[in-house]
Amino acid sequence: MTLSKTHPRYQSLCIRERLTDGVRTGITSQTGLIAHGRGEAFDYLLGERTTDSAMRSEEAAVAMLLAASHPVLSVNGNVAALVPGEIIELGRVLNAAIEINLFYRTEERVRIIADHLRIYGAAGMLGEYPDAALHPLPPEHPRSRVCKGGIYGADVVLVPLEDGDRCQALVGMGKSVIAIDLNPLSRTAKAATITIVDNVVRAIPNMVELAIRMKDIDADRLDDIISRYDNEEMLRAAIEEIVTRGVGRV
Ligand code: ATP
């Protein structure tokens, strides 16, 4: 389908098209489309832009990833379809490992995503050969399967579009978890150490820019940014943003 750039929902329709292409090529799951629908509704309510509070969360997240000793960026089917080049670039600038980690894992899908990311320049990516399980999730469950040298051993994990159970499992294992989730009310948003209430298509490029700007700042300054950050305050700010915008429109 050819989309007109003047269409008021042009950006949103382009994102949908990338995801439906992702389903066609086996990168994105059908449930990934439903998850996107939930996110899209919140994005509409937030004005489809990076709010000031989201930018503050992105800054704190980059500080935390730069200060980490073993940072890992988790990639699922939606992220691989929407921001493949950008997530690889973020890993490169932050010197963070990339691990493919799927909620609906099949070996075929992992291979397709890995090949797709390699086209965008990924090298040494993890997730194709998981050798550890996230507890307390059942070890036989595909969504618990991770790599010892990746998510399992990480001190800080970035999980765009995570589900509440896995987010809680990661936090329970003592990790700092950075979630990107447009729904400030989700279990993930509440459980994460830092929640970025923004669309991954804006959040990841913003974080690349921030990482380039912040990568030489010293450890004390990074600690200062992290310690001043208050996740509950940022979630409240996102909810207020939705309410204020809504009231202004009726
Ligand atoms: P939870 O278990 O945390 O309560 P959930 O069951 O509501 O989550 P899932 O369907 O597991 O949600 O995950 C999808 C989440 O990802 C939703 O909260 C949705 O808002 C968010 N999401 C979807 N697309 C995007 C996107 N492009 N950028 C950021 N967040 C997104």
Side-chain angles (χ1 to χ4, degrees):
M1 180 179 69
T2 316
L3 300 172
S4 161
K5 287 193 175 168
T6 57
H7 191 288
R9 313 229 44 76
Y10 176 73
Q11 289 297 343
S12 170
L13 293 171
C14 286
I15 295 173
R16 282 188 186 180
E17 199 158 272
R18 268 185 272 162
L19 285 171
T20 46
D21 280 350
V23 173
R24 195 176 39 76
T25 52
I27 292 172
T28 309
S29 70
Q30 291 193 356
T31 349
L33 291 183
I34 299 170
H36 177 74
R38 187 167 3 233
E40 198 182 63
F42 278 98
D43 207 14
Y44 189 92
L45 295 171
L46 284 157
E48 295 170 323
R49 73 207 201 286
T50 300
T51 59
D52 290 347
S53 56
M55 190 52 101
R56 281 172 62 192
S57 302
E58 285 159 14
E59 185 195 41
V62 169
M64 193 174 265
L65 286 159
L66 285 169
S69 37
H70 186 13
V72 175
L73 315 183
S74 177
V75 173
N76 68 6
N78 287 40
V79 171
L82 292 176
V83 280
E86 294 85 343
I87 195 86
I88 291 162
E89 178 67 0
L90 184 61
R92 198 187 56 73
V93 181
L94 291 168
N95 206 11
I98 298 221
E99 178 166 343
I100 300 170
N101 187 243
L102 307 180
F103 193 89
Y104 295 98
R105 182 186 175 98
T106 65
E107 297 319 306
E108 169 76 352
R109 249 186 95 214
V110 174
R111 189 188 53 72
I112 292 171
I113 292 173
D115 288 345
H116 178 67
L117 293 176
R118 280 191 270 269
I119 293 170
Y120 283 85
M125 159 183 55
L126 298 162
E128 288 175 275
Y129 310 103
D131 52 3
L134 286 183
H135 40 83
L137 296 174
E140 70 286 357
H141 199 296
R143 71 180 168 146
S144 80
R145 301 179 66 199
V146 288
C147 291
K148 269 198 196 116
I151 291 175
Y152 190 84
D155 56 345
V156 178
V157 193
L158 172 73
V159 284
L161 282 65
E162 190 50 276
D163 92 298
D165 294 336
R166 274 205 312 202
C167 182
Q168 278 160 5
L170 290 166
V171 171
M173 287 170 77
K175 300 176 193 310
S176 295
V177 178
I178 300 162
I180 304 178
D181 190 336
L182 279 159
N183 177 2
L185 302 167
S186 74
R187 290 181 306 150
T188 300
K190 289 181 192 154
T193 321
I194 294 179
T195 308
I196 298 169
V197 184
D198 199 4
N199 198 316
V200 288
V201 302
R202 296 185 299 270
I204 301 292
N206 287 346
M207 289 172 76
V208 171
E209 268 186 40
L210 285 163
I212 293 170
R213 252 191 280 144
M214 292 166 66
K215 73 180 166 36
D216 294 323
I217 67 179
D218 60 45
D220 286 349
R221 172 89 184 99
L222 293 177
D223 282 349
D224 185 46
I225 295 171
I226 299 163
S227 64
R228 279 188 292 110
Y229 181 79
D230 180 341
N231 205 46
E232 263 182 41
E233 187 191 331
M234 292 307 119
L235 292 180
R236 267 198 302 274
I239 294 164
E240 270 166 30
E241 192 78 45
I242 290 172
V243 173
T244 315
R245 272 181 56 83
V247 169
R249 281 166 169 242
V250 287

